[in-house]
Amino acid sequence: MAGSRRKSPGITPDILLRAYSIGLFPMAESAGDPEIFWVEPELRGVLPLDHFHVSKSLAKAVRKKPFEIRFDHAFDEVIAACAEETSGRPSTWINKTIRSLYSTLFDMGHAHTVEAWEGDELVGGLYGVSLGSAFFGESMFSRRTDASKICLVHLVDRLRERGFTLLDTQFTTEHLKTFGAIDVPKADYALMLSAAMESPHLKF
């Protein structure tokens, strides 16, 4: 993992928000490891809101409205699903401490979800943190074809509507690059983040 790591002996929700505001975010080695460390990548993943790319096939899927999309309806269920081990994701960095901290951030109005539902069943979603005019994407999961992708489309639409300026993805993946995600050097990211932190905290 590129970037620096700093051990965190103790962390509170306020410390967590402060960390985001200066370019740090927490991770754990595994779901069973109680320790948390700070990460500050040399190259930061960013999904430019004005260059978000949706493939023709995904745009067609979105238009069909296969799921009911909800916001902030089931935060604990979403983060629990993101923490689950699956065949495609045999391990996860979301431990109990992180789940508890972000649940508190949700209560404070700084953590949010986009959710895909089939009737009463949660079939996909994502969660992240909002601060200033920035949204920091944390994790996503999918139990149906395109469920998490459709949630991402709705996230970007919502961020654009509300005036957000920065969608942070932490790292880039080949999957995220298909949507237009780019790697931003740490110094350039710091300028983008500073500008977003100068904004009043936007309503998600």
Side-chain angles (χ1 to χ4, degrees), residues 7 20 28 32 50-51 96 114 146 155 160 164 167 197:
K7 277 195 172 183
Y20 274 106
D50 54 351
H51 293 290
K96 290 182 179 179
V114 184
D146 291 334
L155 171 66
R160 286 170 169 169
F164 282 78
L167 174 50
M197 292 303 101

Side-chain angles (χ1 to χ4, degrees), residues 53-66 146 149-150 153 179:
H53 174 72
V54 179
S55 68
K56 290 182 179 179
S57 59
L58 180 57
K60 183 178 180 180
V62 171
R63 287 194 297 271
K64 288 183 177 179
K65 298 181 179 180
D146 291 334
K149 294 179 182 179
I150 290 174
V153 172
F179 290 96

Side-chain angles (χ1 to χ4, degrees), residues 57-58 61-62 66-67 116 123 142-152:
S57 59
L58 180 57
V62 171
F67 313 113
V123 297
S142 189
R143 295 170 178 161
R144 298 288 189 277
T145 301
D146 291 334
S148 62
K149 294 179 182 179
I150 290 174
C151 286
L152 180 59

Side-chain angles (χ1 to χ4, degrees), residues 48-99:
L49 292 169
D50 54 351
H51 293 290
F52 182 63
H53 174 72
V54 179
S55 68
K56 290 182 179 179
S57 59
L58 180 57
K60 183 178 180 180
V62 171
R63 287 194 297 271
K64 288 183 177 179
K65 298 181 179 180
F67 313 113
E68 178 189 353
I69 302 300
R70 303 178 187 174
F71 297 91
D72 292 348
H73 181 76
F75 184 86
D76 289 339
E77 289 87 341
V78 170
I79 195 170
C82 289
E84 286 178 355
E85 296 181 359
T86 66
S87 57
R89 184 176 57 199
S91 63
T92 176
W93 50 268
I94 303 173
N95 63 10
K96 290 182 179 179
T97 302
I98 286 175
R99 287 171 64 171

Side-chain angles (χ1 to χ4, degrees), residues 77-129:
E77 289 87 341
V78 170
I79 195 170
C82 289
E84 286 178 355
E85 296 181 359
T86 66
S87 57
R89 184 176 57 199
S91 63
T92 176
W93 50 268
I94 303 173
N95 63 10
K96 290 182 179 179
T97 302
I98 286 175
R99 287 171 64 171
S100 176
L101 282 167
Y102 284 80
S103 181
T104 301
L105 288 189
F106 175 73
D107 293 337
M108 295 169 63
H110 283 285
H112 304 281
T113 58
V114 184
E115 308 153 13
W117 292 80
E118 278 187 349
D120 294 330
E121 184 179 1
L122 178 65
V123 297
L126 59 84
Y127 78 96
V129 172

Side-chain angles (χ1 to χ4, degrees), residues 125-201:
L126 59 84
Y127 78 96
V129 172
S130 66
L131 190 63
S133 65
F135 188 90
F136 306 88
E138 285 294 320
S139 188
M140 60 176 61
F141 77 99
S142 189
R143 295 170 178 161
R144 298 288 189 277
T145 301
D146 291 334
S148 62
K149 294 179 182 179
I150 290 174
C151 286
L152 180 59
V153 172
H154 282 273
L155 171 66
V156 170
D157 286 345
R158 194 173 183 92
L159 296 180
R160 286 170 169 169
E161 291 170 0
R162 305 277 168 109
F164 282 78
T165 61
L166 175 62
L167 174 50
D168 178 312
T169 66
Q170 299 179 346
F171 303 102
T172 58
T173 63
E174 291 307 311
H175 173 64
L176 288 173
K177 286 179 180 178
T178 65
F179 290 96
I182 58 174
D183 288 313
V184 176
K186 183 163 65 173
D188 294 339
Y189 174 79
L191 295 175
M192 298 167 68
L193 180 62
S194 177
M197 292 303 101
E198 290 177 0
S199 166
H201 178 59

